[in-house]
Amino acid sequence: MPTSAAITILTPVWNSLPYIMETAESIFSQNEQNWQWVISDDGSIDGSIDYLRQIQDLGDQRINIFYQPQNLGIFGNLNFLSQRAQAPLVQILCADDYLSTPDSLSLIVASWRTLDPSVGVIRWNGGKLLNQKLPQLVDSHNSQLLFFLHGNLLGNLSCACVRRKCLLQAGEFNQAYPYAGDFEYWARFVQVNRLLISDASYVSVRSHPGQASVHLNTNGELYTQLSIVTSQIYSRIQVRGIIGKLLLRIAGTLVYDSQYRLMGLRTALGGHPVKLHALSSSNASKQYLLPLILRYCVFFLSLGGRLGKNSFLSLAYRVNRLIGSGP
């Protein structure tokens, strides 16, 4: 394996044709050629393995391809890949995403040169978050509050570029959460590493019918796991005062319970079955949600536009920061 690469690209693969072809083309066309690409196929049956063998036949020593004998799942596969990264910087690039321009890698590497060593991860494509008035630099002392109010600040896995040493020090993705493992991991990661939110679009994240998020939550699995993860995050927020706690409970109801009910309503209107039983059965989330009747009040207020989500979350953040949330 190369040891002098400036950046390692990690690509988990599972039934990724034809998208993996564009992923490969975007890497091969980079002006920055000092990279390592580590690929792990997780038991594809759609021809992805045949394509990967064509890449392997090129004999490019910068490329390392592994074929898993049994499916590890996305987070097990990422844990496997992380252990094989050798460059100081690691860019996750899922097999259905691609580097936006031939300058992407050179610009990514250059972005790190001026950053303080305390920054452990950069989130690309973060313009929407910045438009919501989130701080560009998320410190450990306000990270859990922001993750609770706004969800997974890293977004899609391909939006994450991380220092290798920080990636390894944070430990593995928890495979007990096959649907919410990235949320749990990054919330844990930013407790000790700063996050920079960038609006730069060096990576293009593809939306398509076969992507994993389309098939999540068919039986409420995502709701159940997110309730556990968000409960863990909530417990790490040092809330002082009745007002601060009340605002967080309203925020939790608005961001999680109400949003999931809205998703279920839209699904029902589309003629598909609604799996909302997990909302009432996820006991872990009850520590930060309002009582059921008040939850429905928040839900209908949000539907009618009488409770603006972004404005309220900004208020909840400012009040809790003012009264001293955090360690």
Side-chain angles (χ1 to χ4, degrees):
M1 281 189 181
T3 57
S4 59
I7 187 167
T8 294
I9 304 162
L10 302 183
T11 300
V13 176
W14 184 72
N15 291 345
S16 301
L17 281 180
Y19 308 114
I20 182 63
M21 298 178 180
E22 189 169 2
T23 306
E25 291 171 3
S26 74
I27 293 173
F28 294 146
S29 67
Q30 290 300 300
N31 295 323
E32 170 63 67
Q33 289 289 302
N34 190 21
W35 45 258
Q36 175 198 20
W37 188 17
V38 187
I39 309 165
S40 175
D41 184 89
D42 208 20
S44 295
I45 56 174
D46 69 335
S48 294
I49 290 177
D50 294 333
Y51 178 71
L52 292 178
R53 285 177 176 148
Q54 293 178 35
I55 294 178
Q56 199 165 26
D57 289 342
L58 297 175
D60 191 327
Q61 296 302 305
R62 299 171 298 175
I63 303 174
N64 306 103
I65 304 178
F66 301 89
Y67 305 95
Q68 301 302 331
Q70 59 184 19
N71 187 277
L72 301 177
I74 179 63
F75 298 118
N77 210 8
L78 276 173
N79 290 335
F80 176 89
L81 286 165
S82 299
Q83 295 296 323
R84 284 148 185 85
Q86 298 217 341
L89 301 176
V90 175
Q91 174 66 53
I92 300 175
L93 188 63
C94 295
D96 49 359
D97 302 323
Y98 56 94
L99 298 171
S100 303
T101 73
D103 290 324
S104 287
L105 282 186
S106 59
L107 292 171
I108 287 173
V109 173
S111 297
W112 284 94
R113 292 185 181 134
T114 58
L115 292 182
D116 186 274
S118 62
V119 176
V121 61
I122 300 177
R123 185 256 160 91
W124 310 123
N125 304 319
K128 184 176 180 180
L129 293 175
L130 296 176
N131 290 339
Q132 296 174 22
K133 308 303 181 184
L134 266 72
Q136 185 177 29
L137 192 61
V138 177
D139 291 312
S140 58
H141 65 270
N142 64 356
S143 63
Q144 300 308 288
L145 178 58
L146 286 168
F147 262 73
F148 179 77
L149 292 174
H150 296 276
N152 181 10
L153 298 184
L154 272 295
N156 187 283
L157 283 164
S158 294
C159 293
C161 186
V162 60
R163 294 189 196 273
R164 174 180 172 269
K165 65 177 182 180
C166 298
L167 184 71
L168 298 179
Q169 288 170 357
E172 296 188 333
F173 288 88
N174 191 335
Q175 296 181 69
Y177 307 113
Y179 301 94
D182 50 344
F183 188 16
E184 189 277 336
Y185 180 84
W186 294 121
R188 176 162 36 95
F189 182 97
V190 296
Q191 290 184 91
V192 292
N193 299 287
R194 299 167 93 189
L195 158 66
L196 178 71
I197 300 175
S198 171
D199 61 358
S201 301
Y202 301 143
V203 176
S204 292
V205 176
R206 191 193 302 273
S207 178
H208 61 90
Q211 67 190 103
S213 59
V214 174
H215 304 289
L216 293 179
N217 207 41
T218 54
N219 291 300
E221 306 95 333
L222 180 60
Y223 298 153
T224 303
Q225 291 177 28
L226 280 176
S227 72
I228 298 172
V229 174
T230 50
S231 180
Q232 293 171 351
I233 295 171
Y234 179 80
S235 68
R236 296 195 288 259
I237 302 172
Q238 304 290 325
V239 184
R240 298 184 180 94
I242 296 175
I243 295 176
K245 182 174 289 188
L246 175 61
L247 288 175
L248 284 187
R249 287 173 72 91
I250 297 174
T253 300
L254 178 63
V255 173
Y256 300 106
D257 188 86
S258 294
Q259 289 301 306
Y260 299 152
R261 292 187 190 281
L262 179 58
M263 290 167 57
L265 179 62
R266 288 173 175 169
T267 302
L269 292 174
H272 300 287
V274 183
K275 303 292 184 180
L276 290 179
H277 63 277
L279 284 174
S280 55
S281 65
S282 298
N283 293 320
S285 63
K286 291 182 180 178
Q287 66 169 305
Y288 64 76
L289 294 179
L290 294 170
L292 185 60
I293 294 177
L294 293 179
R295 286 183 224 168
Y296 276 105
C297 291
V298 170
F299 174 60
F300 288 115
L301 284 173
S302 64
L303 281 181
R306 296 180 180 273
L307 187 58
K309 178 181 174 184
N310 290 341
S311 297
F312 182 82
L313 294 182
S314 178
L315 173 65
Y317 175 73
R318 291 199 307 271
V319 169
N320 276 279
R321 295 291 295 140
L322 181 65
I323 63 178
S325 70

